[in-house]
Amino acid sequence: MGHGVPELVLELNGQTWTLDPSRSYTLGRDPQGDMVLEDARVSWRHASLRWGGRAWVIEDHGSTNGTYVQGQRIHQLELGAGAVVHLGNATDGPRLNLSAAASPAADLYSAQTAMAAPVQPGAQPPQQYQQPDPQGWGHQPPQQQYQQPPQAQAWQQQPYVPPQAAPQQGQTTGGQAGAPPVYGDRSPTSFHQMAVGRVMRIGRALDNELVVSDLQVSRHHAEFRATSDGRFEIVDLGSHNGTYVNGQPVRQQIIGPQDIVGVGHSTFRMVGDRLEEFVDTGDVSFSARHLTVTVEGGKQILKDVSFGVPEKSLIAVIGPSGSGKSTLLKALTGYRPANQGDVLYDNRNLYKQFAELRQRIGLVPQDDILHKELTVRKALRYAAKLRFPGDTAPAEREARIDEVLRELKLDIHKDKKVTALSGGQRKRVSVALELLTKPSLIFLDEPTSGLDPGMDRDVMQLLRGLADDGRTVLVVTHSVAELALCDKLLVMAPGGSVAYFGPPDEALNFFGYETWADVFSAFENYRDYDWSGRWRGSQHYQMYAADIDAVAPQSVHVQPQMVRPPVPQSWGAQLWTLMRRYVSVIASDRGFLALMVILPAVLGGVSTVIPANFGLGPGPAKSAFQNRDAGTILLILAVGACFAGAANSVRELIKERVIYERERATGLSRSAYLMSKVVVLGMITVFQGALISVIGFGTRGAKMPKEGVLLTNLPQVEMALVIMALGFTSMMFGLIISSLVKTAEKTMPLLVMFAIVQVVFTGVLFQIFDKIGVEQLAWLMPSRWAIAAAGATADLNVLMPWPGAGPDPLWEHTAGQWIVDMGVLLGIGVACGVVVARLLRRHEPEVMRK
């Protein structure tokens, strides 16, 4: 120890070290750190300890679960003898005890020399670019004119070792012979002894026998029970996110030695009478094996793609347009499973176990997956309510939101609207939304699209930090400026095949070019060249991908009795959260609020230009014509209600399509989502219908019909109900349009077409009844039934009879006919809801539809 520096001894996990003031110490799960803690609550690089000149200082490095001294979360604090530090949890997290040195202790630096020192990446020799023979390009692409890759000096450049490979010397492989691999068959996180007749309850609450600190787990989640015949079973206790056996949701299931039980981020396996627990802390491998996607007509848009992703790494996927990058991303995430091949999440088949593994995978699409009208905190708050179990306390949700905001340095922007943020900051908010559930694997689709070079670098550095903190990150990008930050690079060739996979700093030398622009030009100019064959014949392939191609995927044991995967929240709770979020979005859009009032006011006001009333016109001049102006008034008001109702909803589903796709994959109920739109938009539309009716009918006073058919003394109310019902049904038609189109720009022409068609089939402009074909087509139009119901109240058969024809049966002035007209009108709206629900299925992960 230096002169004047008090000797301090640190105790951790039964080991003691005398701290050396000439250096600093890192604490975390990183095996190359100074003090390694195998605890799920500890971040990859959690904190550091150093001599600060006058005292020892502990500094938290933005850890997810925090560093605590005397129960208080700290960022940086001076420590002395007697101090106690908890990592990851203020009460039961890993404990560091610091005391004054009383006797010689093993120096930490000396102790480390006994361990394998981390290998530092050596400086790579400059890659000598070799200009391809220009003459050789006249007829064929260049041959392989690249130097052989140097031997890897760091783990980033070591060939991927599949999970089935034998463990390295000194590695413990928990589990029994023949048991299925769990997390690469690495050592269990903890062990729990089971006894005959004993019940072991699992949950987040502290009164469980097995406490799991995971917000994906319910307070009382499931129970392991020992049966009288010596076997064991798992029983779900009505958990919100479900209990899984071999990736399939179960309510009660006998488990054997080959079965894997999943609860939140933890996995359990019975070995004899001992329960082994494996906690997913991000140390997972990910591999794609022989992925092939075929579309209609037999065309392959993804061809035999195989690669392996090492743990805690950043992988970039680049390639020209048409190389299958988006298709590959959908195949890797389960949104559109490959027709052939497997995707393995730490040796578990993602397609077959998607219900469980979907919670451990984060996906940030190219478009932002949040409502830009909300503030950052409010957007994350609603996302947390939808994704966390229903029994999660508000304080727990807020704590997790604060942790994510601090980790991504968004805490200073938490009260800003998303629209007020820069492009890079908005992408951080999308990433923050995905980090709420602590995924181990994060996919991003073009996160730097549209960003300037500075923001491009910031986003890529953010992703680098996420990987360093113990996650595996795969990013599809067009930008090649920051590829050096990545551990591996996957280059896709035209046609959907792999042209290169390996370290990014060796890629250009592999292709024989100085710039990526030259490589992409070669792809375009020589689209028929066998780029995949060139890759498979290279030494790079032998180093970085041959092992993946050679290993056959393992079979997955699936229990025959399965149930539908549960959702994090009950249907009612999801509906309430979605409605509140939707109202918040609408309330923050002042333009929409103004239009919501102005549009029906103008449409209703137009009808007042017509001075006619709903009575019979005086004199012989109108004896034959009677009062057709009454029909014109109804026509204008009905068309106004149709247009206002459909305009409210025609953009609502298309503008949220990306948000819905992502939330549906995390457990959102389709019917709850649709019902939230129907309820909120329905209330707005009913209000608008009432406003149109007050202006159109209320200003006429005594000129209105004298009596109604159902509400005898309130004919105006009877007709107003018709206008409101027509607006609601038109709003449902608008939802159909919104679910059909691919872009928001296509909604307006369809909206105009819908309104014009309603004008034609009202039955007011010309006689529709008794016209074969026309009458039957009119039955599908909401305006036909709305005018019929209003016409029944106004007795249009008397006011405007059709010359030479009998009365319109739908205008019959009776209460029964009015109820039938209104019933069919609302029935069309309900039928539209069923159609929209079916159309929404097209925008869900395909693996969920199966």
Side-chain angles (χ1 to χ4, degrees):
M1 302 292 287
H3 179 69
V5 178
E7 292 189 346
L8 202 64
V9 175
L10 181 142
E11 180 182 359
L12 172 65
N13 293 338
Q15 289 183 288
T16 58
W17 297 277
T18 301
L19 302 183
D20 182 358
S22 65
R23 55 161 305 187
S24 63
Y25 304 91
T26 59
L27 300 88
R29 299 197 325 271
D30 186 354
Q32 296 185 1
D34 301 309
M35 305 174 189
V36 182
L37 299 95
E38 294 294 339
D39 190 291
R41 296 165 294 183
V42 177
S43 295
W44 186 250
R45 294 173 182 171
H46 193 104
S48 65
L49 193 63
R50 58 182 171 81
W51 174 248
R54 65 175 186 178
W56 287 93
V57 177
I58 188 167
E59 181 178 359
D60 186 277
H61 292 300
S63 64
T64 300
N65 294 316
T67 303
Y68 300 86
V69 176
Q70 293 182 345
Q72 300 297 318
R73 184 164 184 166
I74 59 98
H75 172 66
Q76 183 173 312
L77 186 69
E78 293 184 350
L79 301 174
V84 176
V85 179
H86 287 280
L87 304 180
N89 188 284
T91 56
D92 62 348
R95 174 172 173 168
L96 284 69
N97 297 313
L98 292 100
S99 59
S103 60
D107 185 271
L108 179 59
Y109 181 80
S110 301
Q112 281 193 316
T113 60
M115 298 186 292
V119 180
Q120 299 297 327
Q124 296 294 331
Q127 301 288 348
Q128 180 64 38
Y129 169 72
Q130 300 183 17
Q131 178 68 31
D133 182 4
Q135 301 300 323
W137 275 99
H139 305 286
Q140 62 181 3
Q143 302 301 313
Q144 298 184 28
Q145 302 185 40
Y146 60 92
Q147 297 180 359
Q148 297 299 336
Q151 292 297 321
Q153 298 185 22
W155 69 268
Q156 291 93 335
Q157 294 184 343
Q158 293 174 355
Y160 174 77
V161 180
Q164 297 92 325
Q168 298 177 1
Q169 184 177 2
Q171 179 181 357
T172 305
T173 62
Q176 61 187 15
V182 181
Y183 299 120
D185 217 17
R186 59 177 60 90
S187 299
T189 307
S190 59
F191 303 92
H192 309 277
Q193 196 67 31
M194 293 289 294
V196 177
R198 181 184 174 186
V199 174
M200 180 178 290
R201 189 172 61 188
I202 305 172
R204 208 173 68 250
L206 296 178
D207 59 350
N208 292 284
E209 287 78 14
L210 204 164
V211 179
V212 179
S213 300
D214 182 358
L215 286 182
Q216 293 293 302
V217 177
S218 298
R219 295 184 61 83
H220 299 102
H221 196 104
E223 287 181 347
F224 279 101
R225 298 175 181 174
T227 61
S228 57
D229 58 359
R231 297 190 297 172
F232 298 93
E233 66 177 353
I234 183 71
V235 179
D236 185 82
L237 300 179
S239 64
H240 296 273
N241 280 321
T243 303
Y244 301 84
V245 175
N246 302 323
Q248 305 300 329
V250 299
R251 295 190 180 96
Q252 184 170 351
Q253 185 74 49
I254 297 292
I255 55 176
Q258 298 296 319
D259 293 324
I260 299 173
V261 179
V263 174
H265 285 78
S266 296
T267 303
F268 301 91
R269 181 174 61 191
M270 292 300 306
V271 180
D273 60 352
R274 186 178 67 176
L275 183 66
E276 296 183 345
E277 179 182 6
F278 300 80
V279 179
D280 185 347
T281 59
D283 301 337
V284 297
S285 61
F286 186 80
S287 61
R289 296 179 182 171
H290 308 288
L291 296 183
T292 299
V293 174
T294 306
V295 296
E296 294 182 5
K299 181 181 178 181
Q300 289 185 346
I301 57 177
L302 203 65
K303 299 179 181 177
D304 197 23
V305 174
S306 297
F307 64 94
V309 177
E311 303 170 358
K312 299 180 289 295
S313 56
L314 175 60
I315 295 88
V317 180
I318 65 172
S321 298
S323 59
K325 299 187 301 296
S326 296
T327 302
L328 175 62
L329 189 65
K330 292 179 180 179
L332 294 176
T333 56
Y335 273 55
R336 201 288 188 194
N339 301 99
Q340 301 174 24
D342 295 301
V343 176
L344 300 184
Y345 178 99
D346 225 24
N347 211 49
R348 302 178 65 185
N349 191 301
L350 176 64
Y351 297 159
K352 295 182 179 179
Q353 305 188 33
F354 184 79
E356 177 187 354
L357 297 179
R358 65 181 180 179
Q359 301 291 348
R360 309 186 193 181
I361 295 177
L363 173 63
V364 181
Q366 183 173 350
D367 297 323
D368 293 326
I369 50 176
L370 38 85
H371 294 87
K372 299 178 182 179
E373 302 84 356
L374 302 178
T375 63
V376 172
R377 174 175 284 280
K378 188 172 288 187
L380 294 180
R381 184 176 294 154
Y382 284 122
K385 287 182 178 179
L386 290 173
R387 298 192 182 194
F388 289 151
D391 60 3
T392 305
E396 292 179 293
R397 288 196 300 266
E398 293 298 322
R400 180 58 189 155
I401 291 172
D402 289 337
E403 290 172 358
V404 171
L405 289 174
R406 285 194 298 269
E407 181 179 0
L408 298 184
K409 297 179 176 58
L410 288 170
D411 45 343
I412 60 175
H413 304 296
K414 62 184 178 182
D415 294 322
K416 294 180 182 178
K417 285 189 176 182
V418 177
T419 51
L421 302 178
S422 66
Q425 291 168 343
R426 283 202 303 271
K427 193 59 63 176
R428 282 178 178 264
V429 178
S430 294
V431 173
L433 190 150
E434 291 300 309
L435 291 185
L436 288 173
T437 54
K438 297 185 179 181
S440 301
L441 187 64
I442 302 177
F443 292 92
L444 300 99
D445 187 10
E446 300 287 356
T448 61
S449 177
L451 302 183
D452 60 48
M455 290 184 179
D456 181 358
R457 180 180 58 192
D458 291 343
V459 171
M460 292 301 292
Q461 287 176 342
L462 165 68
L463 303 183
R464 178 70 263 173
L466 294 178
D468 291 340
D469 198 38
R471 305 175 183 93
T472 299
V473 183
L474 188 146
V475 53
V476 174
T477 181
H478 276 110
S479 174
V480 297
E482 304 297 333
L483 294 180
L485 293 173
C486 302
D487 299 307
K488 289 290 190 299
L489 175 64
L490 175 66
V491 182
M492 299 294 293
S497 58
V498 177
Y500 174 83
F501 179 72
D505 56 355
E506 299 176 15
L508 285 176
N509 188 52
F510 171 84
F511 288 108
Y513 285 99
E514 286 184 324
T515 67
W516 283 108
D518 293 332
V519 175
F520 279 36
S521 295
F523 283 150
E524 180 64 28
N525 295 332
Y526 300 91
R527 300 184 68 90
D528 295 332
Y529 181 71
D530 186 11
W531 296 100
S532 179
R534 180 178 186 268
W535 153 244
R536 292 177 183 275
S538 69
Q539 186 170 342
H540 277 81
Y541 171 79
Q542 296 299 324
M543 291 185 64
Y544 303 116
D547 290 338
I548 293 297
D549 269 347
V551 178
Q554 288 198 349
S555 61
V556 178
H557 176 61
V558 180
Q559 296 287 354
Q561 296 181 351
M562 296 181 292
V563 297
R564 293 175 60 87
V567 295
Q569 298 276 339
S570 66
W571 188 90
Q574 284 196 4
L575 174 62
W576 179 241
T577 300
L578 291 167
M579 288 173 55
R580 290 178 59 194
R581 182 177 70 178
Y582 194 24
V583 170
S584 297
V585 171
I586 292 175
S588 64
D589 189 347
R590 295 181 180 179
F592 180 82
L593 290 176
L595 186 63
M596 184 177 70
V597 177
I598 294 173
L599 180 61
V602 171
L603 294 174
V606 170
S607 69
T608 62
V609 177
I610 304 173
N613 58 46
F614 284 83
L616 294 176
K622 288 196 175 184
S623 59
F625 192 76
Q626 299 296 353
N627 188 3
R628 294 199 176 276
D629 289 342
T632 304
I633 295 171
L634 291 179
L635 171 64
I636 293 174
L637 294 177
V639 172
C642 284
F643 188 83
N648 287 336
S649 60
V650 76
R651 289 176 177 264
E652 291 308 300
L653 298 183
I654 180 62
K655 75 179 185 181
E656 290 187 359
R657 182 162 296 172
V658 176
I659 298 175
Y660 172 74
E661 288 178 353
R662 183 63 195 128
E663 291 184 340
R664 180 70 177 129
T666 60
L668 179 70
S669 167
R670 182 195 313 134
S671 58
Y673 175 79
L674 177 58
M675 188 57 66
S676 70
K677 298 295 184 185
V678 172
V679 172
V680 176
L681 290 175
M683 294 174 62
I684 293 174
T685 304
V686 167
F687 163 77
Q688 291 177 324
L691 185 58
I692 291 175
S693 301
V694 167
I695 297 174
F697 298 138
T699 58
R700 298 187 181 275
K703 297 180 181 181
M704 291 296 295
K706 301 305 179 183
E707 62 179 27
V709 293
L710 192 65
L711 303 174
T712 307
N713 298 323
L714 298 171
Q716 296 94 332
V717 175
E718 217 172 73
M719 299 174 75
L721 291 175
V722 173
I723 297 300
M724 289 186 282
L726 175 59
F728 176 83
T729 301
S730 299
M731 180 269 294
M732 299 301 294
F733 267 97
L735 290 178
I736 290 182
I737 295 174
S738 190
S739 61
L740 282 173
V741 296
K742 293 184 178 180
T743 61
E745 289 73 18
K746 295 180 180 179
T747 59
M748 296 313 295
L750 293 176
L751 173 62
V752 174
M753 183 184 70
F754 170 76
I756 293 175
V757 170
Q758 298 311 304
V759 173
V760 175
F761 288 98
T762 55
V764 172
L765 295 180
F766 62 94
Q767 178 186 338
I768 286 182
F769 69 96
D770 289 340
K771 297 291 183 67
I772 303 300
V774 176
E775 180 179 17
Q776 286 70 33
L777 183 60
W779 289 345
L780 301 175
M781 305 299 165
S783 62
R784 167 62 169 153
W785 296 98
I787 292 294
T793 299
D795 200 1
L796 288 185
N797 278 326
V798 174
L799 288 177
M800 46 175 295
W802 295 106
D808 189 331
L810 300 187
W811 292 358
E812 186 179 343
H813 188 62
T814 64
Q817 187 59 52
W818 187 91
I819 292 174
V820 169
D821 293 339
M822 282 287 285
V824 175
L825 175 61
L826 294 174
I828 292 175
V830 173
C832 288
V834 175
V835 173
V836 174
R838 297 295 296 176
L839 291 174
L840 280 175
R841 292 184 71 251
R842 302 184 309 161
H843 308 300
E844 299 172 2
E846 188 172 321
V847 71
M848 294 185 68
R849 286 181 253 160
K850 297 181 179 180

